[in-house]
Each structure stands twice: as C-alpha cells, then as structure tokens.
Amino acid sequence: TFTRDLRVAGDAKLGMRLEVPLYDLPSLKAAGTVDFPGNEVALDSTLPPFGGVTGRLEFTERGIALPELRGTLLGGPIRVEGRPAGDGRMRIDATGSIDAAGMRTLVDNPLTRKLSGRTDYRASVDVDRRASTLRIESDLVGVASDLPAPFAKLAGQSWPLRVVSRPLAPSGPSARPPGDRLEIRLRDDIALALERERDPSSERLLVRRAGFALDAEPALREGGLSVIVRTRAIDLDAWR
C-alpha cells in the first residue's frame, strides 16, 4: 500500500485496539488512531514534505482515513482529508495556497523568477496501492507574471491551470510505478506534457521526453523536447 513510502518525523500519539481470535487469525480486527501534534510528513521521497502537520489519522484492518489534517506545503497552508475507496485504494482531497517563492521551491529558473504573488488551489490524489494519480486546479488569481507575451499576466486575471500526473504501468500490483506522465494546461491554448522515469539510485523522477505547445496539442517524441507554436506574431527579442 501507499503507506509503505510514508515517512513521519517527530513524536506522535498512537492509540490502538486489537481483537485476535486464537482459532481464527484471518478474522483479526484492528482499529486505532495517530494524533499528529505538528510533525513533518512525507508521502513519498519524490514529493516535498508537509510541515507542522496537526490532526488525526484513523485506521482499521480495512484501510485508513484522514478526517482532517492541517499543515504547510511549500510554505503555504494546506488542509487535507482522505477516505478509503476499497481494495487498497484511497481518495485524498486538499485545498491550500502557494506563493511565488513556494513555486520556486519546486522549479527555480529564469521563468519562475518572473512570478510574484499568491494563489489558492485544489488538489486530489487517487491512490491505488503504490500508484497515485494527482490532479491540481487553480485560477491563478493573485499571481502576476512579468514574462513577455503570451505569458504576461496581471494578478487580478483568472488563468485556469490544470495539472494531472498519472503513473506509468507498474510491473506488479505491489510494485512502485517506474515513472509518470505529467500534463499541464494553462488557459485553453498552452499545454506541456512530460514523461518522467524514476532513477533507481536516487529515487528522483527525471524527465525523459517532453512536449510544449501553444494553440496546439503537445507531441512527445522518442526523447528530448518538442515545441509546437502556432501564433500570428511573437517578439523573440523580448525573450532574450
């Protein structure tokens, strides 16, 4: 299950009850709680950790539930709820906010250094054992961009952002996916697709191939980056 990759730093309070029939061990029943007073929690080594986590995790022999956890992620507040979906699966929903500095914690380059402000987001994670599908949505209201057109943006403008990460097929039900496919769509005319593979030595996800498209669908070649731009005009000097 996905708890195999879960890591918790700091002390937590555990409450647990076991019912073990001596002559019917398969009928074992377990129930318990874990109270977090402000821990650091990492769901996966490839993801940024949650800080200052407070709340309760509940579990039984059938799965776990997160009635409500609060903490910080990438420097911004986040609220998380989770519930079992049966057969080793779980659904996690989150709401939070992130500022430009937090975005640069994920990706720090000349493009993200042109961003400022803070925005709210919604996220969901569908967990199927060790494979997870992540969805993030935001209108980016509150974030401004000093980049040239077509990426210049005022803080009050609404630009729908949708991010989806789907795992590549694992080798077995309990195996970790070898990578993922990441799709990012901004407004209705900008798209980026990435295929990432897990490095066995570092556990990091490394980009194997990518495609960027403006007013078109991105294309993934055998390797490297492909770019498709359909526009009447673009000021290349402004991008220098």
Side-chain angles (χ1 to χ4, degrees):
T1 65
F2 85 102
T3 53
R4 184 179 306 178
D5 304 305
L6 181 71
R7 297 292 182 270
V8 178
D11 296 330
K13 182 179 179 181
L14 172 66
M16 188 171 181
R17 184 181 73 253
L18 282 175
E19 294 182 11
V20 185
L22 295 180
Y23 301 104
D24 188 13
L25 291 181
S27 299
L28 180 145
K29 292 184 178 181
T33 60
V34 179
D35 291 312
F36 298 110
N39 303 75
E40 179 176 292
V41 178
L43 299 180
D44 186 282
S45 60
T46 63
L47 299 174
F50 296 89
V53 175
T54 60
R56 171 170 288 188
L57 180 151
E58 300 174 349
F59 63 89
T60 69
E61 73 279 0
R62 296 183 299 275
I64 69 173
L66 308 172
E68 181 179 271
L69 295 180
R70 293 180 181 269
T72 61
L73 180 66
L74 299 173
I78 187 170
R79 177 177 176 271
V80 178
E81 295 181 354
R83 59 190 183 276
D87 195 27
R89 295 178 293 115
M90 185 173 184
R91 166 79 178 209
I92 300 173
D93 294 297
T95 57
S97 69
I98 187 172
D99 63 11
M103 297 177 193
R104 286 189 286 273
T105 303
L106 281 178
V107 181
D108 186 8
N109 58 38
L111 300 182
T112 58
R113 292 170 201 153
K114 294 290 186 178
L115 303 179
S116 60
R118 174 182 291 273
T119 192
D120 296 331
Y121 65 86
R122 302 175 305 280
S124 66
V125 184
D126 291 306
V127 181
D128 188 356
R129 295 177 173 83
R130 301 186 77 187
S132 302
T133 298
L134 168 68
R135 295 177 176 85
I136 301 173
E137 293 185 355
S138 175
D139 58 14
L140 296 183
V141 170
V143 169
S145 167
D146 291 331
L147 290 167
F151 295 103
K153 179 185 179 299
L154 299 176
Q157 289 179 296
S158 176
W159 282 16
L161 171 69
R162 298 171 298 281
V163 180
V164 180
S165 168
R166 294 184 175 88
L168 301 180
S171 58
S174 299
R176 204 173 194 188
D180 71 348
R181 176 172 172 138
L182 185 66
E183 297 177 355
I184 303 172
R185 293 190 177 270
L186 181 63
R187 302 187 314 225
D188 59 358
D189 60 343
I190 298 170
L192 175 66
L194 306 169
E195 191 170 282
R196 305 184 295 181
E197 291 184 344
R198 195 179 303 277
D199 180 10
S201 59
S202 67
E203 288 290 309
R204 294 179 59 195
L205 290 172
L206 306 178
V207 177
R208 189 176 76 85
R209 54 180 183 162
F212 170 81
L214 176 61
D215 201 22
E217 285 298 312
L220 291 176
R221 310 300 184 191
E222 285 301 314
L225 171 66
S226 66
V227 177
I228 302 173
V229 175
R230 294 177 179 170
T231 182
R232 292 184 177 181
I234 187 169
D235 186 354
L236 295 178
D237 290 333
W239 284 91
R240 292 182 177 178

